[in-house]
Amino acid sequence: MNAIEFQPVERPLSPWGLPASASRGRRHPEAAHPLRGPFERDRDRIVHSGAFRRLIAKTQVFVGQPDDLQRTRLTHTLEVAQIARTIARHLGLNEDLTEAIALAHDVGHPPFGHAGERALAERMQGHGGFEHNRQGVRVLDLLEHPYPEFAGLNLSIEVLECMALRSHEEHPDLQSLRTVPRMWLEGQAVDAADSIAYNAHDAQDALRAGTIAQEQISQLNVWQAAVEHAKIRHADLGNGAVQHASVLRAMLDMQVRNVISSSKERLQTISDPQMGRRAANDLICLDDFHRQQKAELSQFLGEKVYRDDRVQQATRSGAAVIGELFDELTTDPSSMPESFSKRLAHESRQRVVCDFIACMTDRYARNYRLRMAKS
Ligand code: MG
Protein backbone atom coordinates (compact mmCIF):
# COMPACT_ATOMS: atom_id res chain seq x y z
CA MET A 1 0.00 0.00 0.00
CA ASN A 2 1.31 3.47 -0.88
CA ALA A 3 1.86 5.92 1.95
CA ILE A 4 -0.68 8.76 1.88
CA GLU A 5 0.76 12.10 0.76
CA PHE A 6 -0.69 14.71 3.10
CA GLN A 7 -1.15 18.34 2.20
CA PRO A 8 -3.26 21.18 3.63
CA VAL A 9 -6.76 21.53 2.19
CA GLU A 10 -7.37 25.00 0.73
CA ARG A 11 -10.91 26.17 0.08
CA PRO A 12 -11.63 28.28 -2.98
CA LEU A 13 -11.76 32.01 -2.18
CA SER A 14 -13.16 35.13 -3.81
CA PRO A 15 -10.61 37.32 -5.61
CA TRP A 16 -10.49 39.53 -2.48
CA GLY A 17 -9.94 36.67 0.01
CA LEU A 18 -6.33 36.24 1.16
CA PRO A 19 -5.02 32.79 0.21
CA ALA A 20 -2.72 31.09 2.70
CA SER A 21 -0.17 30.76 -0.09
CA ALA A 22 0.06 34.58 -0.19
CA SER A 23 1.11 34.84 3.47
CA ARG A 24 4.36 36.70 4.01
CA GLY A 25 5.30 34.11 6.58
CA ARG A 26 6.51 34.27 10.17
CA ARG A 27 9.28 36.15 11.94
CA HIS A 28 11.08 32.87 12.47
CA PRO A 29 10.77 30.73 9.33
CA GLU A 30 9.26 27.30 9.89
CA ALA A 31 8.79 24.28 7.64
CA ALA A 32 5.31 23.85 6.16
CA HIS A 33 2.97 21.50 8.00
CA PRO A 34 1.65 18.49 6.06
CA LEU A 35 -1.93 18.80 7.37
CA ARG A 36 -2.60 22.45 8.10
CA GLY A 37 -1.97 25.68 6.25
CA PRO A 38 -0.30 28.65 8.01
CA PHE A 39 -3.53 30.35 9.16
CA GLU A 40 -4.92 27.08 10.49
CA ARG A 41 -1.74 26.69 12.51
CA ASP A 42 -2.12 30.27 13.78
CA ARG A 43 -5.65 29.51 14.92
CA ASP A 44 -4.54 26.37 16.71
CA ARG A 45 -1.61 28.12 18.39
CA ILE A 46 -3.98 30.77 19.73
CA VAL A 47 -6.45 28.19 21.05
CA HIS A 48 -3.62 26.34 22.79
CA SER A 49 -2.17 29.48 24.36
CA GLY A 50 -2.44 30.30 28.06
CA ALA A 51 -3.69 33.79 27.17
CA PHE A 52 -6.67 32.30 25.36
CA ARG A 53 -7.53 29.96 28.23
CA ARG A 54 -7.37 32.83 30.72
CA LEU A 55 -10.16 34.62 28.85
CA ILE A 56 -12.51 32.25 30.69
CA ALA A 57 -12.13 34.26 33.90
CA LYS A 58 -11.81 37.78 32.52
CA THR A 59 -14.70 40.20 32.70
CA GLN A 60 -16.62 41.14 29.59
CA VAL A 61 -19.04 43.60 31.20
CA PHE A 62 -20.46 41.93 34.30
CA VAL A 63 -17.73 41.42 36.88
CA GLY A 64 -18.01 38.09 38.62
CA GLN A 65 -20.83 37.06 36.27
CA PRO A 66 -23.71 37.61 38.72
CA ASP A 67 -25.33 34.24 37.94
CA ASP A 68 -22.73 32.32 35.92
CA LEU A 69 -24.62 32.87 32.67
CA GLN A 70 -23.27 36.28 31.72
CA ARG A 71 -20.56 36.31 29.08
CA THR A 72 -16.90 36.18 29.89
CA ARG A 73 -14.20 37.30 27.45
CA LEU A 74 -13.94 33.70 26.32
CA THR A 75 -17.58 33.15 25.41
CA HIS A 76 -17.65 36.61 23.81
CA THR A 77 -14.64 35.60 21.73
CA LEU A 78 -16.30 32.36 20.62
CA GLU A 79 -19.44 34.22 19.59
CA VAL A 80 -17.35 36.69 17.60
CA ALA A 81 -15.51 33.83 15.90
CA GLN A 82 -18.66 32.08 14.76
CA ILE A 83 -20.27 35.27 13.44
CA ALA A 84 -17.05 36.28 11.69
CA ARG A 85 -16.77 32.84 10.11
CA THR A 86 -20.30 33.04 8.72
CA ILE A 87 -19.53 36.44 7.21
CA ALA A 88 -16.21 35.19 5.81
CA ARG A 89 -17.75 32.10 4.26
CA HIS A 90 -20.45 34.05 2.45
CA LEU A 91 -18.00 36.63 1.17
CA GLY A 92 -15.39 34.12 0.05
CA LEU A 93 -12.83 35.38 2.55
CA ASN A 94 -10.23 33.16 4.15
CA GLU A 95 -12.09 31.53 7.04
CA ASP A 96 -8.97 30.24 8.74
CA LEU A 97 -7.40 33.69 8.85
CA THR A 98 -10.71 35.20 10.00
CA GLU A 99 -11.02 32.64 12.77
CA ALA A 100 -7.43 33.13 13.93
CA ILE A 101 -7.93 36.91 14.19
CA ALA A 102 -11.29 36.47 15.94
CA LEU A 103 -9.92 34.07 18.54
CA ALA A 104 -6.97 36.37 19.20
CA HIS A 105 -8.80 39.68 19.13
CA ASP A 106 -9.26 40.11 22.90
CA VAL A 107 -6.21 38.33 24.37
CA GLY A 108 -4.69 41.67 25.36
CA HIS A 109 -7.52 42.57 27.74
CA PRO A 110 -6.49 42.88 31.38
CA PRO A 111 -8.77 41.66 34.18
CA PHE A 112 -11.92 43.66 35.04
CA GLY A 113 -12.75 44.86 31.54
CA HIS A 114 -12.34 48.45 30.47
CA ALA A 115 -12.02 49.67 34.06
CA GLY A 116 -8.99 47.41 34.39
CA GLU A 117 -7.60 48.82 31.17
CA ARG A 118 -8.05 52.40 32.38
CA ALA A 119 -6.37 51.58 35.70
CA LEU A 120 -3.31 50.15 33.95
CA ALA A 121 -3.21 52.99 31.41
CA GLU A 122 -3.19 55.48 34.29
CA ARG A 123 -0.36 53.73 36.12
CA MET A 124 1.61 53.38 32.88
CA GLN A 125 1.45 57.08 32.04
CA GLY A 126 5.01 58.19 31.42
CA HIS A 127 6.12 54.55 31.10
CA GLY A 128 4.88 53.81 27.58
CA GLY A 129 1.14 53.62 28.31
CA PHE A 130 -1.22 50.68 28.02
CA GLU A 131 -3.84 49.78 25.42
CA HIS A 132 -5.41 46.34 25.10
CA ASN A 133 -4.93 45.91 21.33
CA ARG A 134 -1.27 46.79 21.56
CA GLN A 135 -1.03 44.45 24.54
CA GLY A 136 -2.62 41.74 22.38
CA VAL A 137 0.31 41.96 19.97
CA ARG A 138 2.72 41.74 22.93
CA VAL A 139 0.94 38.70 24.30
CA LEU A 140 1.01 36.88 20.97
CA ASP A 141 4.44 37.97 19.87
CA LEU A 142 6.40 38.06 23.12
CA LEU A 143 4.73 36.94 26.33
CA GLU A 144 3.42 33.56 25.23
CA HIS A 145 6.38 31.23 25.18
CA PRO A 146 5.63 27.67 24.08
CA TYR A 147 8.66 27.17 21.81
CA PRO A 148 12.24 26.71 23.01
CA GLU A 149 13.82 28.66 20.15
CA PHE A 150 12.00 31.99 20.50
CA ALA A 151 9.46 33.95 22.50
CA GLY A 152 5.93 34.41 21.17
CA LEU A 153 3.65 32.21 19.09
CA ASN A 154 5.44 33.10 15.86
CA LEU A 155 2.13 33.76 14.12
CA SER A 156 1.77 34.70 10.48
CA ILE A 157 2.48 38.36 9.90
CA GLU A 158 -1.09 38.88 8.56
CA VAL A 159 -2.64 37.97 11.94
CA LEU A 160 -0.31 40.34 13.78
CA GLU A 161 -1.00 43.12 11.28
CA CYS A 162 -4.72 42.88 11.91
CA MET A 163 -4.16 42.90 15.66
CA ALA A 164 -1.96 45.99 15.38
CA LEU A 165 -4.45 47.78 13.15
CA ARG A 166 -7.22 47.19 15.68
CA SER A 167 -5.40 49.63 17.94
CA HIS A 168 -6.46 53.26 17.65
CA GLU A 169 -3.13 54.60 18.80
CA GLU A 170 -0.03 55.32 16.77
CA HIS A 171 2.58 53.65 18.91
CA PRO A 172 6.18 53.03 17.84
CA ASP A 173 5.88 49.37 18.96
CA LEU A 174 3.24 48.78 16.30
CA GLN A 175 4.76 50.83 13.50
CA SER A 176 6.22 47.94 11.52
CA LEU A 177 2.82 46.19 11.51
CA ARG A 178 0.79 49.25 10.53
CA THR A 179 2.02 49.98 7.03
CA VAL A 180 -1.42 50.33 5.39
CA PRO A 181 -4.56 52.20 6.48
CA ARG A 182 -6.77 49.23 7.29
CA MET A 183 -6.95 45.55 8.05
CA TRP A 184 -7.16 42.70 5.61
CA LEU A 185 -10.82 42.07 4.79
CA GLU A 186 -10.69 39.05 7.11
CA GLY A 187 -9.84 41.41 9.99
CA GLN A 188 -12.63 43.76 8.95
CA ALA A 189 -15.05 40.82 9.15
CA VAL A 190 -13.90 40.25 12.74
CA ASP A 191 -14.40 43.92 13.57
CA ALA A 192 -17.95 43.81 12.21
CA ALA A 193 -18.66 40.56 14.07
CA ASP A 194 -17.21 41.94 17.33
CA SER A 195 -19.59 44.86 17.67
CA ILE A 196 -22.60 42.89 16.42
CA ALA A 197 -21.85 40.19 18.99
CA TYR A 198 -21.30 42.41 22.01
CA ASN A 199 -24.31 44.60 21.36
CA ALA A 200 -26.58 41.57 21.31
CA HIS A 201 -25.05 39.65 24.18
CA ASP A 202 -24.54 42.64 26.44
CA ALA A 203 -28.24 43.43 25.97
CA GLN A 204 -29.17 39.84 26.82
CA ASP A 205 -26.87 39.76 29.86
CA ALA A 206 -28.19 43.12 31.07
CA LEU A 207 -31.81 41.97 30.72
CA ARG A 208 -30.93 38.83 32.65
CA ALA A 209 -29.15 40.76 35.41
CA GLY A 210 -32.06 43.20 35.64
CA THR A 211 -29.81 46.13 34.74
CA ILE A 212 -32.29 47.09 32.02
CA ALA A 213 -35.97 46.26 31.62
CA GLN A 214 -37.70 45.00 28.51
CA GLU A 215 -39.97 48.06 28.55
CA GLN A 216 -36.89 50.24 28.08
CA ILE A 217 -35.11 48.34 25.34
CA SER A 218 -38.34 47.70 23.42
CA GLN A 219 -38.50 51.45 22.73
CA LEU A 220 -35.56 51.12 20.36
CA ASN A 221 -36.10 50.88 16.62
CA VAL A 222 -33.66 48.00 16.30
CA TRP A 223 -35.55 45.99 18.91
CA GLN A 224 -38.87 46.63 17.19
CA ALA A 225 -37.43 45.63 13.82
CA ALA A 226 -36.00 42.47 15.38
CA VAL A 227 -39.40 41.62 16.90
CA GLU A 228 -40.93 41.78 13.42
CA HIS A 229 -38.13 39.64 12.02
CA ALA A 230 -38.54 37.11 14.84
CA LYS A 231 -42.26 36.83 14.14
CA ILE A 232 -41.50 35.42 10.68
CA ARG A 233 -40.16 32.35 12.43
CA HIS A 234 -42.18 32.22 15.65
CA ALA A 235 -45.94 32.77 15.82
CA ASP A 236 -45.54 33.43 19.55
CA LEU A 237 -42.29 34.90 20.86
CA GLY A 238 -42.81 33.59 24.37
CA ASN A 239 -42.04 35.53 27.53
CA GLY A 240 -39.07 36.70 29.53
CA ALA A 241 -35.74 35.10 28.69
CA VAL A 242 -37.22 33.10 25.80
CA GLN A 243 -38.59 36.24 24.20
CA HIS A 244 -35.30 38.08 24.72
CA ALA A 245 -33.41 35.21 23.11
CA SER A 246 -35.83 35.14 20.16
CA VAL A 247 -35.61 38.87 19.53
CA LEU A 248 -31.83 39.10 19.96
CA ARG A 249 -31.32 36.06 17.73
CA ALA A 250 -33.40 37.82 15.08
CA MET A 251 -31.35 40.98 15.54
CA LEU A 252 -28.11 39.06 15.02
CA ASP A 253 -29.59 37.42 11.95
CA MET A 254 -30.69 40.75 10.45
CA GLN A 255 -27.33 42.37 11.07
CA VAL A 256 -25.22 39.49 9.83
CA ARG A 257 -27.34 39.25 6.67
CA ASN A 258 -26.92 42.99 6.15
CA VAL A 259 -23.13 42.87 6.59
CA ILE A 260 -22.97 40.09 4.00
CA SER A 261 -25.31 41.64 1.44
CA SER A 262 -24.08 45.23 1.71
CA SER A 263 -20.41 44.17 1.79
CA LYS A 264 -20.94 42.10 -1.34
CA GLU A 265 -21.99 45.26 -3.14
CA ARG A 266 -18.99 47.21 -1.86
CA LEU A 267 -16.66 44.44 -2.95
CA GLN A 268 -17.76 44.59 -6.59
CA THR A 269 -14.91 46.90 -7.49
CA ILE A 270 -12.29 44.94 -5.56
CA SER A 271 -10.18 42.52 -7.55
CA ASP A 272 -7.51 41.48 -5.06
CA PRO A 273 -6.92 41.36 -1.28
CA GLN A 274 -4.54 44.34 -1.29
CA MET A 275 -7.26 46.64 -2.63
CA GLY A 276 -9.40 45.79 0.38
CA ARG A 277 -6.81 47.01 2.85
CA ARG A 278 -6.02 50.17 0.94
CA ALA A 279 -9.65 51.28 0.44
CA ALA A 280 -10.78 54.64 1.85
CA ASN A 281 -13.18 52.95 4.29
CA ASP A 282 -13.83 49.52 5.76
CA LEU A 283 -15.63 47.41 3.18
CA ILE A 284 -16.97 44.70 5.49
CA CYS A 285 -19.60 46.45 7.58
CA LEU A 286 -23.28 47.27 7.97
CA ASP A 287 -25.00 49.69 5.62
CA ASP A 288 -25.85 53.17 6.94
CA PHE A 289 -29.40 52.29 7.92
CA HIS A 290 -28.42 49.28 10.02
CA ARG A 291 -25.40 51.08 11.43
CA GLN A 292 -27.63 53.85 12.72
CA GLN A 293 -30.03 51.33 14.23
CA LYS A 294 -27.15 49.60 15.94
CA ALA A 295 -25.71 52.92 17.13
CA GLU A 296 -28.99 53.61 18.93
CA LEU A 297 -28.59 50.33 20.83
CA SER A 298 -24.91 51.05 21.55
CA GLN A 299 -25.83 54.41 23.01
CA PHE A 300 -28.60 52.85 25.07
CA LEU A 301 -26.21 50.21 26.44
CA GLY A 302 -23.62 52.89 27.14
CA GLU A 303 -26.05 54.89 29.26
CA LYS A 304 -28.01 52.13 30.93
CA VAL A 305 -25.54 49.28 31.25
CA TYR A 306 -21.91 50.33 31.04
CA ARG A 307 -22.58 53.33 33.27
CA ASP A 308 -24.97 51.50 35.59
CA ASP A 309 -24.10 51.96 39.28
CA ARG A 310 -23.76 48.28 40.12
CA VAL A 311 -21.72 47.54 37.01
CA GLN A 312 -19.51 50.55 37.72
CA GLN A 313 -19.09 49.68 41.37
CA ALA A 314 -17.94 46.17 40.56
CA THR A 315 -15.51 47.34 37.89
CA ARG A 316 -14.23 50.13 40.15
CA SER A 317 -13.40 47.64 42.87
CA GLY A 318 -11.56 45.59 40.22
CA ALA A 319 -9.69 48.66 39.05
CA ALA A 320 -8.66 49.36 42.65
CA VAL A 321 -7.23 45.84 42.91
CA ILE A 322 -5.18 46.49 39.78
CA GLY A 323 -3.91 49.82 41.07
CA GLU A 324 -2.86 48.28 44.40
CA LEU A 325 -1.16 45.36 42.73
CA PHE A 326 0.71 47.69 40.42
CA ASP A 327 1.92 49.92 43.23
CA GLU A 328 3.02 47.04 45.42
CA LEU A 329 4.70 45.03 42.69
CA THR A 330 6.61 48.00 41.31
CA THR A 331 7.84 48.66 44.86
CA ASP A 332 8.77 45.02 45.46
CA PRO A 333 8.60 42.75 42.39
CA SER A 334 10.17 39.75 44.17
CA SER A 335 6.96 37.70 44.32
CA MET A 336 6.46 37.66 40.55
CA PRO A 337 6.89 34.31 38.81
CA GLU A 338 10.22 33.75 37.10
CA SER A 339 8.71 33.96 33.62
CA PHE A 340 8.14 37.67 34.34
CA SER A 341 10.89 38.54 36.80
CA LYS A 342 13.61 37.37 34.41
CA ARG A 343 12.54 40.14 32.03
CA LEU A 344 13.36 42.81 34.62
CA ALA A 345 16.94 42.61 33.33
CA HIS A 346 16.05 44.28 30.04
CA GLU A 347 12.69 46.01 30.49
CA SER A 348 11.40 48.60 32.92
CA ARG A 349 9.90 47.40 36.16
CA GLN A 350 6.65 49.17 35.28
CA ARG A 351 6.37 47.36 31.95
CA VAL A 352 7.07 43.93 33.41
CA VAL A 353 4.60 44.46 36.25
CA CYS A 354 2.03 45.78 33.77
CA ASP A 355 2.45 42.66 31.60
CA PHE A 356 2.10 40.42 34.63
CA ILE A 357 -1.09 42.13 35.80
CA ALA A 358 -2.58 42.34 32.30
CA CYS A 359 -2.19 38.60 31.92
CA MET A 360 -4.11 37.85 35.14
CA THR A 361 -7.69 36.68 35.30
CA ASP A 362 -10.08 38.58 37.58
CA ARG A 363 -9.89 35.74 40.08
CA TYR A 364 -6.10 35.48 40.03
CA ALA A 365 -5.77 39.24 40.51
CA ARG A 366 -8.05 39.26 43.56
CA ASN A 367 -6.34 36.23 45.11
CA TYR A 368 -2.88 37.65 44.46
CA ARG A 369 -3.90 40.90 46.09
CA LEU A 370 -5.23 39.03 49.14
CA ARG A 371 -2.05 36.98 49.41
CA MET A 372 0.07 40.12 49.24
CA ALA A 373 -2.02 41.79 51.92
CA LYS A 374 -1.46 38.82 54.27
CA SER A 375 2.29 38.53 53.71
MG1 MG B 1 -14.24 41.85 21.50
Side-chain angles (χ1 to χ4, degrees):
M1 204 172 76
N2 292 334
I4 298 172
E5 276 272 328
F6 286 113
Q7 65 177 51
V9 180
E10 282 224 43
R11 294 207 185 109
L13 303 177
S14 304
W16 47 75
L18 186 71
S21 55
S23 171
R24 302 205 310 287
R26 309 176 188 280
R27 277 192 214 290
H28 307 280
E30 292 181 34
H33 192 277
L35 296 178
R36 296 166 301 149
F39 300 142
E40 290 173 275
R41 295 174 83 185
D42 293 333
R43 174 202 60 203
D44 297 351
R45 286 172 191 204
I46 293 157
V47 169
H48 287 123
S49 70
F52 182 78
R53 288 199 296 279
R54 282 194 291 264
L55 295 174
I56 198 169
K58 289 195 179 195
T59 287
Q60 176 65 26
V61 171
F62 291 90
V63 174
Q65 298 168 271
D67 67 1
D68 277 354
L69 276 180
Q70 274 80 18
R71 270 72 172 183
T72 64
R73 284 263 163 225
L74 180 64
T75 57
H76 160 70
T77 295
L78 296 175
E79 290 183 36
V80 172
Q82 72 187 32
I83 291 172
R85 219 168 35 219
T86 301
I87 295 171
R89 187 169 299 186
H90 282 272
L91 295 177
L93 300 173
N94 191 314
E95 278 182 54
D96 300 322
L97 175 58
T98 306
E99 193 175 17
I101 299 163
L103 293 172
H105 89 280
D106 268 353
V107 294
H109 267 289
F112 308 115
H114 289 283
E117 177 166 21
R118 279 193 298 274
L120 274 183
E122 232 168 72
R123 292 299 201 277
M124 287 302 286
Q125 254 178 32
H127 305 288
F130 179 84
E131 192 270 334
H132 76 267
N133 291 303
R134 168 154 56 98
Q135 186 67 14
V137 176
R138 249 180 112 68
V139 166
L140 299 171
D141 213 21
L142 179 72
L143 299 177
E144 285 292 321
H145 194 175
Y147 302 107
E149 296 87 0
F150 44 74
L153 298 179
N154 200 28
L155 299 178
S156 302
I157 204 81
E158 291 75 17
V159 175
L160 295 174
E161 281 174 335
C162 286
M163 290 294 292
L165 284 160
R166 288 182 65 81
S167 177
H168 297 297
E169 48 166 36
E170 295 288 336
H171 196 278
D173 286 2
L174 300 179
Q175 228 165 19
S176 65
L177 293 166
R178 290 168 60 106
T179 56
V180 288
R182 54 197 70 257
M183 291 184 267
W184 297 101
L185 294 171
E186 284 77 2
Q188 296 181 28
V190 173
D191 237 16
D194 187 22
S195 70
I196 288 176
Y198 69 66
N199 260 297
H201 66 50
D202 289 352
Q204 188 174 35
D205 286 353
L207 283 160
R208 183 173 181 85
T211 317
I212 53 173
Q214 189 176 326
E215 297 73 55
Q216 296 173 299
I217 196 168
S218 62
Q219 306 293 318
L220 304 180
N221 288 316
V222 70
W223 182 274
Q224 290 162 10
V227 166
E228 292 311 311
H229 190 57
K231 281 180 180 167
I232 298 169
R233 180 171 167 192
H234 310 286
D236 179 354
L237 298 185
N239 295 309
V242 175
Q243 184 177 142
H244 303 156
S246 302
V247 175
L248 290 166
R249 195 166 55 236
M251 187 177 86
L252 281 181
D253 189 58
M254 282 186 335
Q255 294 180 342
V256 172
R257 283 175 198 236
N258 182 263
V259 168
I260 294 168
S261 57
S262 66
S263 302
K264 253 186 193 156
E265 278 174 36
R266 280 179 228 111
L267 290 166
Q268 286 314 308
T269 56
I270 302 296
S271 53
D272 70 69
Q274 288 289 351
M275 284 176 79
R277 67 201 293 246
R278 292 176 192 280
N281 297 296
D282 273 2
L283 299 172
I284 314 295
C285 53
L286 292 165
D287 66 13
D288 286 344
F289 175 77
H290 287 83
R291 194 178 323 173
Q292 274 164 20
Q293 267 196 349
K294 194 165 77 65
E296 195 190 358
L297 175 57
S298 298
Q299 197 188 344
F300 172 82
L301 292 172
E303 285 164 14
K304 302 281 191 267
V305 181
Y306 309 140
R307 283 199 282 280
D308 172 78
D309 279 349
R310 281 168 302 170
V311 171
Q312 291 260 322
Q313 207 181 353
T315 50
R316 259 200 305 271
S317 96
V321 168
I322 286 189
E324 288 158 11
L325 279 175
F326 186 93
D327 294 343
E328 287 173 31
L329 285 168
T330 44
T331 308
D332 174 12
S334 62
S335 71
M336 279 198 299
E338 201 235 332
S339 53
F340 287 93
S341 59
K342 70 179 182 202
R343 295 188 30 247
L344 287 167
H346 44 88
E347 288 206 83
S348 77
R349 191 177 276 201
Q350 287 83 359
R351 178 57 61 196
V352 176
V353 167
C354 175
D355 283 338
F356 178 43
I357 295 173
C359 284
M360 294 178 180
T361 62
D362 294 10
R363 189 170 49 217
Y364 188 93
R366 281 198 198 284
N367 288 343
Y368 205 92
R369 175 75 196 86
L370 282 177
R371 247 187 304 155
M372 287 194 90
K374 277 186 200 149
S375 63

